[in-house]
Structure formats: C-alpha cells, structure tokens
Amino acid sequence: MGEIEQKPTPGSRLGAPENSGVSTLEQGQKPPPTPSGKLMSIKIQMLDDTQEAFEVPQRAPGKVLLDAVCNHLNLVEGDYFGLEFPDHKKITVWLDLLKPIVKQIRRPKHVVVKFVVKFFPPDHTQLQEELTRYLFALQVKQDLAQGRLTCNDTSAALLISHIVQSEIGDFDEALDREHLAKNKYVPQQDALEDKIVEFHHNHIGQTPAESDFQLLEIARRLEMYGIRLHPAKDREGTKINLAVANTGILVFQGVTKINAFNWAKVRKLSFKRKRFLIKLRPDANSSYQDTLEFLMASRDFCKSFWKICVEHHAFFRLFEEPKPRPKPVLFSRGSSFRFSGRTQKQVLDYVKEGGHKKVQFERKHSKIHSIRSLATQPSEVDSEVPKQSPQSASLMFGEGAESPGGQSRQHGKGLNASTTAATATSAAEDLGPQSGSQASPAVRKSPAGNRQADGAGQAPPEEEEEVVKDRTQQSKAQPPQPSTGSLTGSPHLSELSINSQGGAVPANVTLSPNLSPDTKQASPLISPLLNDQACPRTDDEEEGRRKRLPTDKAYFIAKEVSTTERTYLKDLEVITSWFQSTVSKEDSMPETLKSLIFPNFEPLHKFHTNFLKEIEQRLALWEGRSNAHSKGDYQRIGDVLLKNIQGLKHLAAHLWRHSEALEALENGLKSSRRLENFCRDFELQKVCYLPLNTFLLRPLHRLMHYKQVLERLCKYHSPNHVDFRDCRAALAEITEMVAQLHGTMIKMENFQKLHELKKDLIGIDNLVVPGREFIRLGSLSKLSGKGLQQRMFFLFNDVLLYTSRGLTASNQFKVHGQLPLYGMTIEEGEDEWGLPHCLTLRGQRQSIIVAASSRAEMEKWVEDIQMAIDLAEKSSGPSPELLASSPPDNKSPDEATIADQESEDDLSASRTSLERQAPHRGNTMVHVCWHRNTSVSMVDFSIAVENQLSGNLLRKFKNSNGWQKLWVVFTNFCLFFYKSHQDSHPLASLPLLGYSLTIPSESENIHKDYVFKLHFKSHVYYFRAESEYTFERWMEVIRSATSSASRASISSHKDTHAY
C-alpha cells in the first residue's frame, strides 16, 4: 500500500536510533494512518540548500509531508518550521497541514517546496535542541544573503564572523579571506571583510553550537529578525508593509517599524475581499480608531496574510491546538481554516519531558563536526545551551532591536477563522516571568507535575505562582555593562519577572541561567528553578556536608550574619556599582544629587566588604577548614561583631544622610522628567529587583538585623560563656544607634511607601503630602448596579481610595473615587445585603458596600479603618481633594457609577502583563494583592523589614524525585531564587502573600529532616534547611509574610523592638 518512502536519515547513516517523536504529535499519539493510493514525488529544498525527494500519497494532508521531513532530519522541535511554495498564481503560501497536498500543489513535478522557519520564538534559549538552533542559524544566514534581514554594518560583520567560526573554525587570516572570497553572505560583503576578520579573531575556541547560539542572540535583537513583509496601503493610500510576529501584528514603512498591535490589544481579525481588518479592544488612552483597515493587492494576498496571523496567534498564545468548529447543517459562511499542530507551550512541555533521544547530525558547510552525544541525558539542559562570549555580549546592544514579544498564552478561543471575523480572544488572565520573553513570566504547569515555568505568561490566575520579574518587556535597551534584569508579569510566578517581552527590549530578555551574559534573564522554560531536571541531585552531597558542620546554635547564628551580609553587600552594589555606572554614562542626574548619594554609600560598601571577610574567616576556623587545632578560641563571633559595630558608629554621619538622599531623589524625580525616565529604565534592569528607593534605605534596615542577631546570641549564651560579654557590649552599641535613627526610619519608610504607591496609581493629584500616612492596601469587592466587582482599596490616615486595574499599558490602577475618613462610620451589613463578610462604609457625601474574601480579611479592614477614622477625627478636619478631576459621587450603592460600568471582560483583558510597555509595574505588592485577593498593611511592611533572611535551601516540587540547591533571599514578602550567592540578579521570585506554610505530613513521603512546605491552591513547594536553627528561622520569617498578625500583637512586638 502507499507508504511514505523510507529513506536513510542523517541520523541513521551515523548509527543513531530512529526518532519516532514526530513534532506535531501529542505525547503517546501515533502518526495518523497514511492514506493509500498513488504516490507522488515532491522535491523539498532544505535550509542547507540541498534538495530531497519525498514520496507521499496524493490524498495525504500536508501534515504527512511535514512529518516526513522532520523524521528525515530527526528533528524533534519541528513545529517551528513550515513548508512554503509558490501557488498557481505565483503567490508564496504556506502548505496547509490539514488539506490534501494534491489540492494545494497543482503541478508537483515543477514545484520546489522550501523547508523554512515559520515561527520565530521570542527567545532563542527556548529552542532546546542543538539541531533546531543550527537550522535557525541557517535561516538567518539565508535571510542575510537575500537581503531580508537588514542591519547596520557592525551587526552584519558580527553575524558573519560567527557563521565563519562555525564553518571553518578558529581564526586564520589567510583562510578567513579565502573563505570570504568564495562565500558571499551579504550583498555588500567586500566592504565588511576587515571587520568580519577582526571579529572572527575574538571567537577562538568557540564551537559550532556556541557560534549558532551567538548568531541567534545577535540576530533576534534586529528589528527585521523573522519578519516577512506583506505590501499593503493604509486608508490614506500610503504604501506600507504588514508583518506578523510572536508579539502581534507589526506595521512597517519600508523596513522601519512604525507601529505594533500586540495580541492583547486585538479583539478580532478579519478580511473582506482585499481589505484586512483589525478590530482593537477599547482603550481610553489610545488615539486609534476601533477598527483599522488596510488594503492589500488582492483577495488571495489578503487571505494568505490573515491565515499566517491566525497561526501565529494560536502557536504563541494558546495552550493547545484549537478545536475544529462543528460543520454547519445547511451552509457555511467564511473560511474554515484553523491552526493545526502543537502550540509552542506543548512543544516546550514535550521536549522538557525528555521523551526523545538526542541524535547526531552533520553540518553541511562546516569543517568542524558537531555531534550531539547519545549518552547525554535529556535532563542535562546545560549541555544544550552554550555559554555566551563576552565579545558578542558587548556588541549586541548596538542594534536597536525589539525584544521579541511576550507570548502570553492563554486558555480560550483562538482567532475565529471566519472570513468576516477572526476573533483573537485573550481568554485567560496573563499574570506571569517574566517570559519573560515577552515574557514576563506567568507560570506554566510543567507536564511532569506542578512545575511551572516563569516565562511567557501562560497560565490562568489560579495556576500562577512565581513571579519572575520579567522585566523583559521593557522598551529600552539596557547598557551592556553590569548585567541586570527584572518579571515578568504576574505576581504569581515570575522570573526576574521571569522579564517578558512586550516591547522593544534588547536588554532584559530571558536567558537560561546556564548562560554567562546577564543581558537576559533565565529562560523560564529551561530555568533550573522551574525545571528540576536542570540541577544535579544533591541529597548525598548535602547529607555528607551536614555531618561535618558544627552543631552549636551559635555557629548557625553567626552563619546567618554571613549569609545576610552577602545579600546586603549585593544591595549596596546596586547603588555603588550598577546605578553609579549607569549614571556616569548619561547626563541625567544633577551633580548635587550625585554628591549626596554616592559618597555616602561608597564608604559603607568598603566597610562591609571587610566586615564580611572577617566573618567568613572566623566561620572557616569554626568549621575547621583552616587551623583546625585552634578550637575553642575561635568558636565565637561576638568579638568580630563588637569590633565592626564600633567601627560602624564612625560612619553614622553617612547613615544620617540616607534619608536626605531619598528625599532629594524623589524631589528630583518630581521636577525632572528626564531623571524620572532614567530611574524608571534602571528599575527595569534585572539587578534592580526591588524599587530603587528601597535600596537607599537598606543601610538603616541592616542595623535592625544586627540588633536581632545579637539579641538571639545573648539569649542563647549563658552569662559565663566566653562570647557573652562581647555580644552584650555589641548589643548595647547597636541598640543605641537604632534608637537614634528610629524616628527617621519610621518617617522614611512611610515616605518611600507613598512614592511607591504613587507609581501604581493614576488619577491622583497629590498623594504625597506632609502628614499623610499609609495604613493598608488590598483587594475588596464593591457592590454596584452590576453586582460585586473587584476593586483595589488604599487606606491612609485621612482618606480611603478605591480603584480598579485600568486599561493602560503599564497596568496601573485607576482611581474611581475617594471617601474622606472624617465623619465616616462602619456597619457590618451581612444581614442587610445577604453577602458574606460585608461592610457598609458611610461617609459624609457617599456610602459604599464592600465584601472581603474572608472573615479574617474583613476584621483586619474594620480594625484599620476604625483606627484611621479615629485619627481623622483628631486631626484638623476634612482632607484635601486627591483626585485630579473627579466630581463628587453622590450615587447610592445600588446605582452603577460610570467608573463601575467597566465589564469584567474589559478588566481581564487588561491583565496581559506580558505585553505591557511598562512591565515593571506588573509585579509590585499592589498587583500581588490584586491577584491573590488579599491585603497588606504598613505594619506588615515594617515587620517585613526586620524579617529578612538569606541562605542555601534545597527545593523540591510535588512530583519530582530529587532536590535542587538554590541560593534564596527572603525580603519584601517574597522569595528570590539565585543559582548561587555570587549571581548579580535573581532568576525568579515567589511572592508569598496568600501561601500556606506547613510541615509535610507522613502521607507526602518526604523522608527528610528540616523540611517545610509552601502551598497555594494547586501549587506545592518543599524546601529543606541544613539545620534545626535555620529551619526555624525560615519558618519564622516566611510565616510573617504568609499571615499578618493583628494590630494588637504588632503593637507589643514594636514595643520590644523599638524601631
């Protein structure tokens, strides 16, 4: 019967086992039965310019031919590729995978079908196979030669230098020039020859696989990377070009991008004859019309472009292949076309599961053989992602390229394949790292269990977790200097976010942690944090190490000083190194402000660098790693702490000036738009993992940490212990310093929090005014004419604001109204309104009804609002108007205000955090509270300042077998994950608000000591500490973030810690 002709594949010729993992099949599926009948021969032109003939049945669908090509190449990630050919009207079209081949290719003997890259992912690190990256590199090479990939001379020379390195190996000038004379990579190559040779000299020792990786790293930053232009005209008749990418639809004038419509903004795509129509979601801040119209050359051109848009949307945005529409009974209207094959998420999940064997392949043009080892285990992600060379890292930023768009995949319908309307539905809320690529990073469930990837946001809100600060969606290139980064996306699982690529962000992109350059953030898809296969198992190693450590509790207290000091030094370096270096390159900051900030941080950095060395030397002696014979005298830490705290008192003058620096910086931001933009761009860098103004207060926070450590040491040691006297003296010294700075600390924390909240709010005129104090923020449901609608409330000592997530690019919260607290009363209204946990807030001009998510939440709000009302009554009178322009709202609670007319669809549509222009506002504490439906108070923030902790933990997922060692930092209600303490920025983060902290039960089969469990909905993480002391400390600080104490208990707490 008719079967596809079985030809020897490149892998089988080299003795590799046959690969049965056809790329477009789900796990466990078998290839569809091949139709019987007459065979026809089709010539396929591969990316290396060779031609292969394939025998397929005439009635076979296009998918059979694509699968045959992928099998021939032993290509696992074949879903990124497609087959294109000229149809009978000489229009280049993609082979439809569902239609019979014979109906598409009329004269197969006279047609050469090209095998090319069809879908260009936002981040090349998502390509896990070396063969896939090799084919992508061949595509880049082909696009360069054809003039499709345009770039400046420097970028072109750098790209060609990597191609030459992969083809002929290490630099040899005579060989280079001979090779360049025989091979033309770009049309005007002769003028670039000297530059190419110069760059090639820097790639010595680079393997072909590494060259492919570097080539893609540079190419993906170019504006024309993966772009195929489709000529069109706008309504005014101006000639333009349309293109589609992973982010959405792009508009070019010539080869210059002039506009972009992200998938999140597109409500419907359709075509009518020659007209291509884009219907946008309503946006009050947009100047565009509701529907955009473009005129193309013919209906066939228009339909061809519409099809590829449908396919890009489905591939990058959906969880799974869209289901076919039911056939109409009588007649159909419009096109029945739909995307066929696996989505990118399904491809990534399949490859991560390792359900395939890595095989060998040959590089046609390379004199160096790149062989994928058959012995390599699928879990060894490191071997698949080459290191990035410093040379290319420093040059990558020259081309102003757009970071590929964040693919926030979502559950829901794909583009409705109707001729009159193709609807792109963003069904699920996009919360995620951050991917990052565009990614902010929402979280994805990995097929092996409850693992999640903080990369491109692809999970509905209830499935998100770690927020990777995927600030990859930034719209500005960051300096090539210190590596930086930032989430993605949703406050659930983001990659620092896990940055996502919503806009033109060459700098903050998602890189695998295995890559050296920090230009990007770890790709959520292959992150060691989210893929337990990426890190070696450490059980035996850790057990052996534990047995060798001292068992004295004082040792672990001293070790906590060391681990937190490392984090504190990194925080200081954000100002003294990263921020100062960036400031020196741009003339955005006044000299007076520079002289106020940096001279007061540099002495502290120098002092604490020496302090850390002394602590680590003492710990080495204590552990017996050196001078093990000198035992008892070195099993102490009080003398080191006393000496350095006395030294720190001499730097008190610098500490006093930090509050002045914070005020000066905020005033400068208010008066200078240029400085404001500069600081905002710096906050987008991955190294700035917290708000910038938070780092200015770190030295004051650190004093409190020393005080807590010394209190624990004094409590542990008996009065006759050799270390007790020094510890008590050091405690007295630090207590005096804390008392002196207590008032300043309280004032500055409130000042910093008001300015941070100001960035999250729009519609506010004067939030930061003297005397205003922040009390609580959180999510409540407000009752209106349309029922209960989620709103974000902000409580201050004089006013209560309520807001909603606005339809803005930055995901800020739009103020709907304000309730002055002067004269307000609170009534519990469960009986009256029939709503659980319901409150009626009656002001002098307006009353509203709100409902909390739980009884405990309601009690917190009642307590804080009543306290705020009491404070307002004692003040001089009504508060000033806050809103920039809002008339008094005199409507009763059961009338819907204009502001409340927003539908929940509109609100959910605004949650595509992976495609924001300003993603850095996407995983702040306000957004975490919004998504987790909870609240947090200023008292909680103050306690969080005290409860900071760093150290190594072993992490395990619910269904994984082994433990991974990570460096973990707890601060700001969040766990930040690093591969090691030496990393300059976190790879991912996990906001803890809403999580439950427990000890694993017997039924969970975690047969290890010192294990605690974090649980939120379906997400479960296990963490393992090295000792009983560190276990108790992690439990203590995490509990402070997962459950806020009552105000009464907090008061007593703050009395004992006068801070």
Side-chain angles (χ1 to χ4, degrees), residues 191 227-228 242 344 471 512 520 649 675 690 856 919 1054:
I227 296 299
R228 295 191 174 212
L242 297 179
Q344 190 195 28
R471 300 177 183 172
S512 161
K520 304 182 137 196
K649 292 187 75 174
L675 179 61
L690 297 172
K1054 294 198 60 87

Side-chain angles (χ1 to χ4, degrees), residues 12 48 77 114 197 207 209 211 396 402 450 486 492 567 589 757 791 809 853 1002 1039 1042:
S12 63
D48 60 2
E77 297 173 296
K114 293 183 178 180
V197 172
T207 66
S211 296
M396 274 171 213
E402 177 176 19
N450 288 335
S486 113
H492 295 229
T567 300
M589 182 178 287
L757 294 178
R791 294 289 178 258
S853 59
E1002 284 293 326
R1039 190 175 287 116
T1042 55

